[in-house]
Amino acid sequence: MAADIDDGEASRLYAGDVEGARAMFDAACDACGLEIRDHLIGDSGDSLRVALCGPGDAACTLVVLSGLHGIEGHCGSAAQVALVRRLADHDGPVRVILVHGINPGGIRAFRRTNADNVDLNRNYLSDHAALADVGPQARAIGRLFSSRALSRLPDAAWFAVFVASVIARGGMRQVKETLAGGQYFDPQAVFYGGAALAPELQALNAALGPLLAGARPDRTILFDLHSGIGGYKVPSLLANGPSLLPMREIFGMPVSDGHAGDQAVYPARGDVIRGLKTAFGLEGACGVTFELGTGPAARTLLALRAANSALVHFPDDARCVARARAQMLRAFCPQDAAWRGTYVREAGTLIARALHFLTTRADADV
């Protein structure tokens, strides 16, 4: 579906800001005759956009999400625009639902989080308060990122403090469990999951509720576009919970559980795909997160620290904000035509396989 796009063409699908990305997505949808629906996000003035392709009573459903982690919406939007351009001739028994720019504020600010520093992929929970009750060791790890004094340190000096603290507190596994999996005790630290369901996810629920009302778990695939985990230009798929569908057969590549078991990237709480599956009675649906790696994890960690410091402590420091944005781009959407082309092609190929599988499954039911 996107294997024929070269790096130059793919790079032109990337916009420099959220307004440009939304305009490009809308134009592609209009050209292909897709139905577009708009859903306001609280009182922010922003909205998430939903595009629909295929019959409303289709036997199978494919949902493709972008922009949950704001900065990653730049590449996710490009992949969705490429997909839309190839849906013009789609008339099969599959309903394709594209949710564009779930976190427009984060896309605009080149952050993963929303304006309240909430990581939306740690936010889909009903027990935020219970998870906020943690001990002093966890809070000490959080202060590595939320401390204003530490935020002033250069990267090298801060990283030395971070490494020493990690060693003293049980190693990186403890950090992953305390922070990366979602933390609910320090709104000024990274990976903050919030205290209640964020407006962006309230809008997502409102948008998808009517559309998924008749969906079946064994005929539904949810595909979430992300970036930043893994080796440079290396694609991977992480499973979001058990699936009734054969994920290896669908995608033609290994699918590891990103949040449980020995191969877990981190033990995540509050991820959106699992939340949607539970909310809409789709336990057992195939839910996957697509990642294209950008290189060393340490560089990504430093970019997250920079973005967090700029938002929490130095929002009026133009140099600090600009530096954080540059680091976030390198860590999540490199300005490299080869990387950007690879993202569009790899995501497009996997989405095409998902669509083909569902089409075949629906045809077999006839």
Side-chain angles (χ1 to χ4, degrees):
M1 181 172 288
D4 57 333
I5 296 181
D6 62 27
D7 291 344
E9 183 182 357
S11 293
R12 289 190 288 274
L13 301 179
Y14 289 75
D17 53 38
V18 67
E19 287 76 20
R22 181 60 57 82
M24 197 177 299
F25 179 75
D26 287 352
C29 291
D30 289 342
C32 295
L34 272 60
E35 178 186 351
I36 295 177
R37 300 180 182 180
D38 209 39
H39 295 268
L40 292 176
I41 297 172
D43 57 1
S44 67
D46 280 325
S47 65
L48 61 83
R49 190 84 90 243
V50 176
L52 305 174
C53 181
D57 59 352
C60 298
T61 306
L62 172 63
V63 182
V64 182
L65 310 172
S66 78
L68 184 63
H69 282 151
I71 180 71
E72 300 166 36
H74 291 279
C75 42
S77 175
Q80 285 184 317
V81 172
L83 170 61
V84 169
R85 292 179 178 180
R86 284 154 179 78
L87 287 175
D89 299 324
H90 174 69
D91 59 358
V94 179
R95 187 79 180 283
V96 181
I97 303 170
L98 299 109
V99 185
H100 182 270
I102 296 172
N103 180 10
I107 300 173
R108 183 178 295 111
F110 292 82
R111 286 193 311 268
R112 276 169 43 113
T113 61
N114 70 3
D116 297 317
N117 204 34
V118 173
D119 184 326
L120 299 181
N121 214 26
R122 310 293 186 275
N123 180 247
Y124 211 127
L125 291 167
S126 58
D127 57 350
H128 299 78
L131 291 168
D133 186 12
V134 298
Q137 181 152 301
R139 294 185 181 278
I141 292 174
R143 282 194 294 274
L144 291 170
F145 295 88
S146 62
S147 164
R148 185 179 180 89
L150 290 178
S151 293
R152 294 183 179 279
L153 291 178
D155 280 350
W158 177 86
F159 196 72
V161 173
F162 173 78
V163 170
S165 182
V166 166
I167 292 173
R169 291 178 170 83
M172 280 303 297
R173 181 172 182 175
Q174 183 66 31
V175 174
K176 286 183 178 181
E177 291 177 355
T178 301
L179 288 182
Q183 59 87 9
Y184 304 85
F185 56 87
D186 191 343
Q188 294 191 327
V190 294
F191 300 111
Y192 177 57
L197 193 66
E200 293 86 353
L201 298 191
Q202 294 178 36
L204 182 65
N205 280 348
L208 290 183
L211 300 174
L212 296 178
R216 290 171 48 181
D218 60 343
R219 298 291 185 273
T220 300
I221 297 176
L222 300 103
F223 195 96
D224 195 8
L225 291 157
H226 285 261
S227 64
I229 292 178
Y232 197 75
K233 291 198 301 183
V234 177
S236 61
L237 283 177
L238 308 177
N240 296 84
S243 172
L244 296 170
L245 299 177
M247 291 189 286
R248 179 65 183 262
E249 176 186 340
I250 295 169
F251 298 108
M253 66 182 292
V255 182
S256 61
D257 193 322
H259 308 313
D262 295 336
Q263 294 183 319
V265 177
Y266 45 77
R269 296 169 284 271
D271 75 89
V272 165
I273 294 293
R274 292 183 200 235
L276 292 173
K277 288 165 67 171
T278 299
F280 299 118
L282 291 172
E283 290 92 343
C286 175
V288 294
T289 297
F290 170 76
E291 290 278 356
L292 189 71
T294 56
R299 184 170 63 191
T300 301
L301 182 69
L302 290 172
L304 292 175
R305 175 207 175 220
N308 186 76
S309 296
L311 173 64
V312 172
H313 295 303
F314 312 114
D316 299 322
D317 185 329
R319 291 180 61 188
C320 179
V321 171
R323 186 165 56 247
R325 290 186 174 193
Q327 286 183 252
M328 289 294 284
L329 265 179
R330 286 195 298 271
F332 293 100
C333 189
Q335 292 177 300
D336 166 19
W339 187 94
R340 292 186 169 194
T342 299
Y343 191 98
V344 171
R345 288 190 294 273
E346 293 289 345
T349 296
L350 293 171
I351 294 169
R353 290 185 67 102
L355 185 57
H356 174 74
F357 177 87
L358 289 174
T359 300
T360 303
R361 179 62 62 95
D363 289 342
D365 290 340
V366 176

